[in-house]
Amino acid sequence: MTQTKIDLPPAFPDHTQLPESDGTFVKNFQEHPQSLILTDSIGLVLQQLHPDGDYAIGQDCGIYWRETEPPEKGAEAPDWFYVPNVPPLLNGEIRRSYVLWRELMAPMIALEFASGNGDEERDATPLSVSAEGETTKPGKFWVYERIIRIPYYGIFEVKTRKLEVYNWLNFSYQKLQPNERGHYPITPLGVELGLWHGTYQNQTQYWLRWWDSEGNLLLIGEERAQLERQRAEQEHQRAEQEHQRAEQEQQRAEQEQQRAEQERQRAEQEYQRAEQAEQKSARLAERLRAMGIDPDSEE
């Protein structure tokens, strides 16, 4: 009996077999610190949500969602994204990219820092193939919404300081409205996303930041350390003030003791003077009686 040989297609590639870069540089001087401030400030929240450490954060890393030639055309690279419930390393290796067909877990949130007007980040052009076999490159918005289905997608226009956040609901993105603080609640994380004006990494401008559900800014490590230093200094000042008050109380107590001692000494002196006066009067009375004079007589 003749056996027919079946040629199986090669297995889908993993993150070690796919390019980690498309060979271009697209970052500006704002993007790297913007990613850092987001990652640093949300770290404590993610540690509480994932005590096992199973989560991953990507910064300008490729998310592969389809196989293409060349391979990098089948990836999108959000400026910042977070994936829950996946290990930070794969088989002990640092992730080179995030391969959706291997992980089967979509990111919870993806953020784009638009250096232009945001048209590229809002591009909803669908993937299509013409009759001639020409493939139309899909837009980021379409890929995130229709294929990867990222629950929260944020677009930050750096120049115009405009922030838009979309939530995947009923199979499509719905644009969210900010709350009374001008923030966008990211409900599964228990945080809010908004804009903060301040200085970070020697740049003073508007930054994407996280707040907790009560509107308290989530601090980065440097800010937490500064706050601890201020608290320690305040505690030191309070301790110094308490020490000074204790010294003042001790001084007042010593002064009261000295006044009491002086009063006792004055009373003792008054008693001694009275005693001496009485003794003199008694001696005088004795001399008068010796002289035959009654000292008690009125004459």
Side-chain angles (χ1 to χ4, degrees):
M1 182 176 179
T2 303
Q3 293 183 346
T4 302
K5 183 179 178 181
I6 300 176
D7 293 326
L8 297 176
F12 288 131
D14 62 20
H15 73 113
T16 64
Q17 300 165 309
L18 293 165
E20 58 185 308
S21 171
D22 62 2
T24 64
F25 57 91
V26 295
K27 285 187 174 293
N28 56 44
F29 282 82
Q30 185 267 350
E31 288 188 24
H32 178 61
Q34 175 62 88
S35 295
L36 288 179
I37 200 170
L38 286 169
T39 302
D40 189 352
S41 58
I42 205 171
L44 294 179
V45 172
L46 297 183
Q47 289 174 21
Q48 292 175 354
L49 290 175
H50 306 284
D52 55 3
D54 277 353
Y55 69 90
I57 291 177
Q59 300 176 15
D60 202 34
C61 299
I63 300 176
Y64 279 90
W65 60 277
R66 69 182 181 121
E67 281 196 285
T68 58
E69 185 58 45
E72 54 267 26
K73 287 189 175 182
E76 292 293 344
D79 291 315
W80 191 95
F81 65 93
Y82 150 73
V83 192
N85 305 318
V86 297
L89 302 177
L90 290 178
N91 299 320
E93 293 189 33
I94 297 174
R95 292 176 178 273
R96 297 177 57 187
S97 58
Y98 190 77
V99 185
L100 195 62
W101 58 73
R102 291 274 180 170
E103 305 280 359
L104 303 179
M105 178 70 72
M108 172 73 68
I109 182 171
L111 301 173
E112 295 283 3
F113 317 142
S115 56
N117 59 9
D119 284 352
E120 179 182 351
E121 289 73 19
R122 297 185 190 90
D123 187 355
T125 303
L127 174 66
S128 62
V129 180
S130 67
E132 294 77 20
E134 293 287 334
T135 300
T136 300
K137 183 181 184 301
K140 280 187 178 183
F141 195 98
W142 185 86
V143 173
Y144 295 160
E145 177 187 40
R146 299 301 180 92
I147 304 299
I148 306 178
R149 298 181 177 181
I150 302 173
Y152 291 90
Y153 174 38
I155 302 171
F156 173 35
E157 294 181 22
V158 179
K159 288 184 179 180
T160 61
R161 306 166 187 170
K162 180 181 178 181
L163 174 61
E164 293 179 2
V165 178
Y166 297 85
N167 182 211
W168 197 82
L169 184 65
N170 296 328
F171 305 102
S172 65
Y173 273 145
Q174 307 297 320
K175 189 175 180 180
L176 296 179
Q177 295 300 315
N179 61 18
E180 67 279 2
R181 291 184 285 270
H183 302 160
Y184 296 87
I186 310 299
T187 306
L189 292 174
V191 300
E192 298 176 356
L193 182 67
L195 297 181
W196 170 82
H197 186 265
T199 301
Y200 179 66
Q201 296 283 321
N202 201 35
Q203 296 185 48
T204 301
Q205 58 189 32
Y206 281 87
W207 304 91
L208 274 181
R209 294 289 301 261
W210 307 105
W211 284 260
D212 65 19
S213 58
E214 296 179 352
N216 300 305
L217 183 68
L218 299 186
L219 305 181
I220 60 174
E222 180 183 349
E223 290 168 336
R224 292 194 296 271
Q226 178 64 25
L227 186 61
E228 287 302 317
R229 286 194 295 268
Q230 291 175 353
R231 287 174 180 165
E233 179 62 25
Q234 290 171 352
E235 287 297 325
H236 175 73
Q237 290 176 356
R238 279 195 292 268
E240 183 65 24
Q241 290 170 354
E242 288 297 324
H243 177 69
Q244 291 175 357
R245 279 195 292 268
E247 285 188 341
Q248 291 170 354
E249 288 296 326
Q250 182 178 0
Q251 290 173 358
R252 280 194 292 269
E254 289 176 352
Q255 290 170 355
E256 288 296 326
Q257 184 178 5
Q258 289 174 358
R259 281 195 292 271
E261 179 62 23
Q262 290 170 353
E263 289 296 327
R264 187 190 67 79
Q265 290 175 358
R266 280 195 295 270
E268 180 67 24
Q269 291 170 356
E270 288 296 327
Y271 174 77
Q272 289 175 357
R273 281 195 293 269
E275 182 71 20
Q276 290 171 356
E278 185 178 351
Q279 290 174 358
K280 288 180 181 180
S281 178
R283 286 195 295 271
L284 178 60
E286 288 179 0
R287 284 198 296 271
L288 290 174
R289 279 192 288 270
M291 296 170 60
I293 302 171
D294 185 2
D296 297 323
S297 175
E298 296 180 356
E299 295 181 357

